[in-house]
Amino acid sequence: MGDTNFDSEKIRNICILAHVDHGKTTLADHVIASYGGGVLHPKQACKLRFMDYLDEEQRRAITMKSFSIGLQYKEHSINLIDSPGHMDFCSEVSTAARLSDGGLVLVDAVEGVHIQTHAVLCQAWIEKLTPCLVLNKVDRLICELILSPMEAYNRLLRIVHEVNSIMNSMLSAKSFSFSTIGFMLMVLIQYSYGQGIAPSPAPTGPSNDGTAIDQGIAYVLLFVALAITYLVH
């Protein structure tokens, strides 16, 4: 931070998101071994679980806390964040996503898209991250399932289509919400003018026709619709 050439434009926070046991920590080990400046030897990658710093994490072989490490790639500084994959630690995932500029979404080539994969994609969408799909453990298609090249290709293609379908469904839901809110605003504005919300002469005597109440309800509904539009946007 004391470097006079410090440039915030060349710093990126990247998180790794995936379902449990899809290979997040193993991928992080290999990335650290390649760009960590000698912190982790390549022979120790996949064995040390460098990002799992808690004793409980090492004992249970699962990630329970998000952990970050600074890496150097050419002229860029990368803060790599490894996040948990188990749904019990979803708060750690949301925190990691909120701090990140982009995310690596891992999917096991054999296991495919799971419920937590869907959850992390939704979290990336909420936090406006740019997700990058990583198909992991492709060797299992050959070593375990003994698939032909065309069968393996079709399986990987199906995973890509499924992830794209999830992203498209969220985009469609957002478009639907905007169109619905726009329709609500139009109806409320028409209703407001129809009930005389526009400036009108003061009444000459007491009125019990409920116009004032209708005007108040219209104002409240219009305010609620505007607030929803702001929050969704």
Side-chain angles (χ1 to χ4, degrees), residues 111-157:
E111 302 294 334
V113 176
H114 276 246
I115 181 62
Q116 192 64 11
T117 309
H118 195 292
V120 298
L121 286 171
C122 290
Q123 192 64 44
W125 174 267
I126 292 172
E127 301 300 337
K128 296 181 173 61
L129 293 185
T130 302
C132 176
L133 178 61
V134 179
L135 298 176
N136 201 23
K137 304 185 182 182
V138 179
D139 58 309
R140 294 183 63 193
L141 298 177
I142 302 171
C143 300
E144 297 181 17
L145 302 185
I146 317 178
L147 299 181
S148 66
M150 183 54 66
E151 290 173 335
Y153 170 78
N154 289 332
R155 192 181 189 94
L156 297 176
L157 188 62

Side-chain angles (χ1 to χ4, degrees), residues 25-206:
T25 304
T26 301
L27 175 64
D29 275 3
H30 285 287
V31 173
I32 294 170
S34 300
Y35 303 102
V39 174
L40 180 63
H41 194 277
K43 291 184 178 180
Q44 293 180 307
C46 186
K47 300 177 181 178
L48 187 61
R49 300 180 61 89
F50 185 82
M51 303 287 272
D52 290 345
Y53 65 97
L54 297 177
D55 293 338
E56 186 69 11
E57 291 178 316
Q58 290 289 339
R59 186 180 66 83
R60 299 175 60 179
I62 61 170
T63 302
M64 302 169 64
K65 287 284 187 180
S66 295
F67 186 72
S68 65
I69 186 172
L71 307 174
Q72 192 70 29
Y73 178 73
K74 296 182 179 180
E75 71 276 7
H76 285 80
S77 296
I78 307 295
N79 295 317
L80 184 67
I81 306 174
D82 183 25
S83 64
H86 200 282
M87 62 180 63
D88 289 346
F89 311 108
C90 58
S91 61
E92 293 287 328
V93 177
S94 60
T95 301
R98 192 163 300 164
L99 295 172
S100 300
D101 303 301
L104 301 177
V105 179
L106 270 66
V107 178
D108 190 312
V110 173
E111 302 294 334
V113 176
H114 276 246
I115 181 62
Q116 192 64 11
T117 309
H118 195 292
V120 298
L121 286 171
C122 290
Q123 192 64 44
W125 174 267
I126 292 172
E127 301 300 337
K128 296 181 173 61
L129 293 185
T130 302
C132 176
L133 178 61
V134 179
L135 298 176
N136 201 23
K137 304 185 182 182
V138 179
D139 58 309
R140 294 183 63 193
L141 298 177
I142 302 171
C143 300
E144 297 181 17
L145 302 185
I146 317 178
L147 299 181
S148 66
M150 183 54 66
E151 290 173 335
Y153 170 78
N154 289 332
R155 192 181 189 94
L156 297 176
L157 188 62
R158 186 164 59 250
I159 293 174
V160 173
H161 286 330
E162 191 170 354
V163 172
N164 285 335
S165 176
I166 294 172
M167 299 301 294
N168 287 333
S169 66
M170 289 185 284
L171 179 61
S172 300
K174 182 178 180 180
S175 300
F176 176 77
S177 64
F178 276 127
S179 62
T180 304
I181 292 172
F183 177 75
M184 288 173 56
L185 286 173
M186 181 183 67
V187 172
L188 287 171
I189 290 172
Q190 292 177 351
Y191 174 78
S192 300
Y193 280 105
Q195 292 296 327
I197 286 183
S200 58
T204 57

